[in-house]
Amino acid sequence: MERTPLIAGNWKMHKTAAGAVALLGELLPKVAGAACEVLVCPPFTALAPAADILGGTSVALGAQDCFWERRGAYTGEISPVMLKEIGCDYCIVGHSERRQYFGETDDAVRRKALALQAEGLVPIVCVGETKEQRESGRAFEIIDKQLRECFNTSVDPRAVVVAYEPVWAIGTGLTATSEQAQEVHGLIRRRLGELFGAAGQGVRILYGGSVTPDNVAGLMAEPDIDGALVGGASLKADSFAAIVNYRRLG
Ligand code: PGA
């Protein structure tokens, strides 16, 4: 099944609204005509100005988190309805930093994913093992558990993206080798197949963790790697554009 590659930038807690406008102004001409789908995920406060700039371009907008209720007494939270109104198409859920620092559970990830889909947004569900879990040979078991708990049959496979992000590779400069990543992506693909049947073949699985212009082409050459979730290298127009344009340049 044909899957359009998706290159997504996760800006994390970087860029003010003004900084986001400046970065997007620099980025847009460099990614015009990209062969893949391009997505940027700025912090909440930069979403509205980013949406203004991205309107009419082929670059999509996403958020980095949300809550699962539509509205209510949930101080500090942002709902999928609000993200939709502002022009988001995607939202990352279950990023390892949210799991680690903010106690996000698989159950919360599943609720968020379903709430996003109910509003017509596409959740990007992150899974991945820590260094200790990999070293003790438990990586597959951990990822499998995350998948089983973050997905149930109510999730629409036509509107979801999975991101495999080994925690030990995030922001560390240590990337999983293409073979290591493919091994896990293959496992994820099989599980999606068990869960969703043929539709599991259409789900894009991104790799994330120290993706750079130098390693993206090798990763993207693997059969089950359908894109990248890029942190650090998405904060500079040149490096993110080089990742987006990996085919044209490579
Ligand atoms: P990194 O982050 O590219 O800086 O390793 C990836 C991510 O956390 O999504």
Side-chain angles (χ1 to χ4, degrees):
M1 193 180 287
E2 193 62 28
R3 296 182 295 265
T4 307
L6 170 63
I7 304 288
N10 171 13
W11 294 6
K12 308 192 179 183
M13 200 173 71
H14 294 286
K15 304 293 173 185
T16 60
V21 168
L23 174 54
L24 291 175
E26 219 189 310
L27 179 69
L28 282 177
K30 296 181 198 279
V31 299
C36 56
E37 191 181 344
V38 183
L39 165 67
V40 291
C41 302
F44 288 129
T45 50
L47 288 174
D52 285 345
I53 296 180
L54 297 180
T57 76
S58 59
V59 176
L61 183 66
Q64 300 172 17
D65 184 34
C66 69
F67 190 51
W68 57 75
E69 294 291 346
R70 292 172 59 84
R71 68 181 69 78
Y74 304 104
T75 302
E77 293 298 319
I78 303 282
S79 76
V81 181
M82 296 166 179
L83 297 177
K84 180 77 189 169
E85 182 203 39
I86 229 165
C88 289
D89 304 302
Y90 289 87
C91 182
I92 299 169
V93 288
H95 190 280
S96 65
E97 287 151 15
R98 295 218 57 86
R99 293 174 187 261
Q100 183 182 348
Y101 301 125
F102 307 102
E104 188 149 319
T105 60
D106 291 329
D107 184 56
V109 174
R110 192 184 60 254
R111 286 172 182 232
K112 290 177 180 189
L114 288 169
L116 285 160
Q117 288 194 332
E119 297 307 322
L121 279 96
V122 176
I124 300 177
V125 176
C126 301
V127 297
E129 81 286 2
T130 63
K131 186 163 177 282
E132 294 68 37
Q133 289 164 341
R134 176 159 283 264
E135 285 171 352
S136 61
R138 294 174 57 224
F140 286 6
E141 176 200 323
I142 296 295
I143 293 158
D144 219 34
K145 180 170 180 290
Q146 289 172 339
L147 285 174
R148 276 187 276 109
E149 293 182 6
C150 294
F151 285 87
N152 63 19
T153 43
S154 308
V155 173
D156 181 352
R158 293 163 305 176
V160 72
V161 172
V162 177
Y164 168 53
E165 298 208 305
V167 178
W168 48 272
I170 296 178
T172 57
L174 292 172
T175 326
T177 62
S178 303
E179 295 73 26
Q180 276 174 326
Q182 170 56 34
E183 203 181 8
V184 176
H185 281 233
L187 169 96
I188 296 173
R189 177 80 58 216
R190 281 197 299 282
R191 283 291 172 269
L192 293 173
E194 285 166 17
L195 202 56
F196 301 123
Q201 287 297 317
V203 176
R204 289 179 292 184
I205 309 174
L206 314 183
Y207 169 79
S210 299
V211 174
T212 65
D214 294 331
N215 60 26
V216 64
L219 289 160
M220 293 299 290
E222 297 293 340
D224 290 301
I225 301 185
D226 308 311
L229 184 53
V230 185
S234 72
L235 296 173
K236 293 226 161 54
D238 280 342
S239 50
F240 190 57
I243 292 172
V244 166
N245 295 319
Y246 70 96
R247 267 193 194 142
R248 283 196 283 187
L249 304 177

